[in-house]
Amino acid sequence: MEVSMTLWVLTIVGLAALIAVDFFIGRKPHDVSIKEAGIWTVVWIVLAVLFGLGLLAFGGGQPAGEFFAGFITEKSLSVDNLFVFVLIMAKFAVPSQYQQRVLLIGVLIALVLRAVFIAAGAAILASFSWVFYLFGAFLIWTAWKLIQEARADEEDEEYEENKLLKAAERRFGVADRYHGTKLWIEQNGKRVMTPMLVVMLAIGTTDVLFALDSIPAIFGLTQDPYIVFTANAFALMGLRQLYFLIGGLLKKLVHLSYGLSIILGFIGVKLVLHALHESGVHVPEISIPVSLGVICAVLIVTTITSLRASRKTAEAEAAQGPGESHEKDSVGT
């Protein structure tokens, strides 16, 4: 799809306006209720759907299909980010009333970094078609890694700060407590970061690790930088509300890693087939409608099986009773 510079500017301005409205409404620190999170989650999804319908009206079925497939894929992969966000919030003991501000700025940092990734990926793919093989192989490897991690079932997972964040803390120093929503304060005559800024940087930079598989994944569905960027933008901007809406539900999505691994593996195969086709090899290519159908089906099945498995586990624990649990604890000691 041909996208003019004017459309790019209007899109970025429009997204910035939406973010500004979101920030203005939630500018006062407060605990986010399920109702508020649910309303805003629906708002962002509706906005994404309207944008997709706009692509359908002005660009045709192909761009619209690619956007919806990309948006759903990025949204499902971003749910995996929430597990790490929960760990980060716990690690830095973020007060509940400040969590929405942390997530808003953290997600904005992530969006800017992803835009850089998208621009680089588009430039590389335009110049070197063999990169499709690399992206495809990487996604298949990531899918296998996800399955291994899911089977390992590591319950005592902890967040570990990345090297960039540790370097920033050593360079600028960090205050010993939160100071409202302030990012910098004067302490002992020195300007230091507050824990609020550290958490924002942690969320924003940690998302880069997730972008390493999500960006190749969406390039497997479309090579249009405009669609890749807007799909990522709408998926990320609704992530903050989704955090509060399904925060308690995350532990019940026990099969999510398996579902995401299937999606990544599927897109990896799609990329390899596309690369072979570009190289002149006569192989079937997977269409966008098929991709969209597979992605939706996997997410639906994964959610259903996860909730069933969680319910059975809860019933088994309830049937066990406190007496048996106490007896096991006694034996263990």
Side-chain angles (χ1 to χ4, degrees), residues 49 67 86 123 138 140 147 153 168 170 186 198 201 205-206 223 234 259 271 286 290 295 310:
V49 171
F67 171 79
V86 170
F138 177 74
I140 294 171
I147 292 176
D153 192 23
R170 287 194 301 268
E186 292 286 339
V198 175
L201 293 174
T205 56
T206 300
Q223 285 80 59
F234 279 106
L271 270 173
I286 302 173
V290 172
I295 293 167
S310 297

Side-chain angles (χ1 to χ4, degrees), residues 186-235:
E186 292 286 339
Q187 183 172 286
N188 299 324
K190 181 183 178 182
R191 187 175 174 83
V192 298
M193 298 189 300
T194 65
M196 175 72 76
L197 178 57
V198 175
V199 180
M200 290 176 178
L201 293 174
I203 288 179
T205 56
T206 300
D207 181 78
V208 173
L209 300 177
F210 293 96
L212 292 177
D213 56 45
S214 66
I215 297 301
I218 193 170
F219 270 116
L221 298 169
T222 176
Q223 285 80 59
D224 190 324
Y226 182 76
I227 295 176
V228 172
F229 173 74
T230 51
N232 268 274
F234 279 106

Side-chain angles (χ1 to χ4, degrees), residues 17-326:
L18 291 174
I19 293 170
V21 170
D22 192 3
F23 180 82
F24 179 78
I25 293 176
R27 68 189 184 282
K28 185 179 180 180
H30 66 282
D31 291 325
V32 179
S33 66
I34 296 296
K35 179 180 179 181
E36 179 184 347
I39 291 173
W40 275 101
T41 297
V42 171
V43 167
W44 282 114
I45 292 176
V46 169
L47 288 173
V49 171
L50 291 175
F51 182 83
L53 293 177
L55 286 177
L56 177 63
F58 296 100
Q62 181 74 10
E66 291 176 353
F67 171 79
F68 283 120
F71 171 73
I72 294 172
T73 299
E74 293 299 310
K75 199 71 173 178
S76 60
L77 289 172
S78 68
V79 171
D80 207 29
N81 297 25
L82 298 183
F83 287 99
V84 179
F85 290 175
V86 170
L87 294 176
I88 293 175
M89 294 292 189
K91 168 79 174 180
F92 293 97
V94 182
S96 58
Q97 67 269 28
Y98 299 142
Q99 289 184 4
Q100 66 160 350
R101 177 68 62 85
V102 167
L103 287 170
L104 176 62
I105 305 302
V107 166
L108 285 179
I109 295 172
L111 183 57
V112 172
L113 293 176
R114 285 201 181 199
V116 175
F117 270 62
I118 291 167
I124 292 172
L125 289 174
S127 303
F128 309 102
S129 60
W130 55 266
V131 175
F132 282 112
Y133 289 109
L134 185 62
F135 277 11
F138 177 74
L139 289 179
I140 294 171
W141 175 79
T142 303
W144 173 244
K145 185 181 177 182
L146 269 178
I147 292 176
Q148 288 182 316
E149 290 176 354
R151 294 177 66 181
D153 192 23
E154 299 177 358
E155 295 183 359
D156 298 328
E157 192 176 1
E158 292 186 4
Y159 168 72
E160 184 176 347
E161 296 179 26
N162 56 56
K163 293 181 179 179
L164 179 63
L165 194 58
K166 289 180 179 178
E169 291 176 359
R170 287 194 301 268
R171 171 65 179 82
F172 299 102
V174 182
D176 56 357
R177 63 183 177 85
Y178 287 88
H179 293 263
T181 57
K182 292 182 179 178
L183 304 182
W184 297 89
I185 63 164
E186 292 286 339
Q187 183 172 286
N188 299 324
K190 181 183 178 182
R191 187 175 174 83
V192 298
M193 298 189 300
T194 65
M196 175 72 76
L197 178 57
V198 175
V199 180
M200 290 176 178
L201 293 174
I203 288 179
T205 56
T206 300
D207 181 78
V208 173
L209 300 177
F210 293 96
L212 292 177
D213 56 45
S214 66
I215 297 301
I218 193 170
F219 270 116
L221 298 169
T222 176
Q223 285 80 59
D224 190 324
Y226 182 76
I227 295 176
V228 172
F229 173 74
T230 51
N232 268 274
F234 279 106
L236 279 178
M237 288 192 300
L239 192 59
R240 179 169 66 99
Q241 288 77 16
L242 200 60
Y243 171 87
F244 296 104
L245 183 63
I246 68 171
L249 185 63
L250 287 176
K251 292 182 179 179
K252 295 184 179 181
L253 299 177
V254 293
H255 296 159
L256 178 64
S257 293
Y258 292 105
L260 295 180
S261 67
I262 292 173
I263 291 173
L264 290 176
F266 170 77
I267 297 176
V269 171
K270 184 179 186 298
L271 270 173
V272 172
L273 290 176
H274 177 74
L276 289 171
H277 183 78
E278 291 292 313
S279 300
V281 181
H282 295 289
V283 293
E285 285 203 86
I286 302 173
S287 66
I288 288 298
V290 172
S291 299
L292 187 57
V294 170
I295 293 167
C296 291
V298 169
L299 291 176
I300 292 171
V301 171
T302 299
T303 302
I304 293 174
T305 58
S306 293
L307 295 178
R308 285 183 177 178
S310 297
R311 185 179 61 188
K312 288 182 179 180
T313 301
E315 291 174 352
E317 290 176 353
Q320 181 182 9
E324 295 181 29
S325 176
H326 178 72

